[in-house]
Amino acid sequence: MSELTQQQCVPCLGGETAITQAQIDAFQPQIPDWCQYEVKGEQRIERLYQFKDFQTALAFTNAIGELAESQSHHPALLTEWGKVTVTWWTHTVGGLHLNDLVMAAKTEEIFKQFK
C-alpha cells in the first residue's frame, strides 16, 4: 500500500465513485487521529487540531488553505481560539474519495510544522 503523503489528488470530473469502507480501513493506520462520520448520507473524515493561541490556529488554517489550492481539493475549516477543525469529503462522489485520505495525510504533515 502506498503512502498517502506521497500521492497527489486526482481531478474528479464525474463518474468516480466513493471508496469502500475496506479501502478506508486499510489506509486508517496512516491517519489514525481522523474520525469518520456521516452527514446526510455522505461519509466524511474530520480531525480537531489544538494550538496555543488564535494566531497559530489561523496560521495553520492558512497553510491548509494553500495546500487545498495546490491540490484543487478544499476542506471545511473551522478556526477558533486555539483550535482548528478540518473536514474532508468529496461532493462529486457523495462521500469519501481517495483524495480525502491523501489530503488528511498531507494535513498531518503540515501540523508537524506547528508542534
Side-chain angles (χ1 to χ4, degrees):
M1 180 179 316
S2 62
E3 289 288 322
L4 291 169
T5 58
Q6 300 304 310
Q7 298 185 43
Q8 301 295 315
C9 286
V10 296
C12 290
L13 304 173
E16 295 84 5
T17 59
I19 58 175
T20 66
Q21 188 61 50
Q23 291 170 306
I24 294 166
D25 293 344
F27 283 111
Q28 186 66 40
Q30 293 185 49
I31 50 170
D33 296 322
W34 287 77
C35 299
Q36 182 181 350
Y37 68 99
E38 185 176 309
V39 173
K40 296 181 181 179
E42 292 184 344
Q43 292 296 313
R44 299 176 183 199
I45 54 173
E46 182 173 277
R47 174 151 184 225
L48 172 68
Y49 293 92
Q50 298 200 11
F51 302 94
K52 64 182 179 177
D53 55 30
F54 183 79
Q55 184 176 9
T56 306
L58 185 58
F60 176 74
T61 299
N62 288 332
I64 299 306
E66 289 178 22
L67 168 68
E69 281 295 299
S70 75
Q71 297 288 306
S72 294
H73 191 53
H74 304 89
L77 296 166
L78 173 60
T79 305
E80 304 173 79
W81 192 98
K83 58 187 174 180
V84 176
T85 304
V86 181
T87 309
W88 292 104
W89 79 101
T90 301
H91 300 280
T92 58
V93 302
L96 293 173
H97 185 274
L98 182 59
N99 288 345
D100 301 304
L101 307 183
V102 168
M103 294 301 277
K106 290 179 181 292
T107 301
E108 290 295 305
E109 291 296 306
I110 290 172
F111 180 61
K112 290 176 185 176
Q113 300 169 23
F114 287 84
K115 287 186 174 182

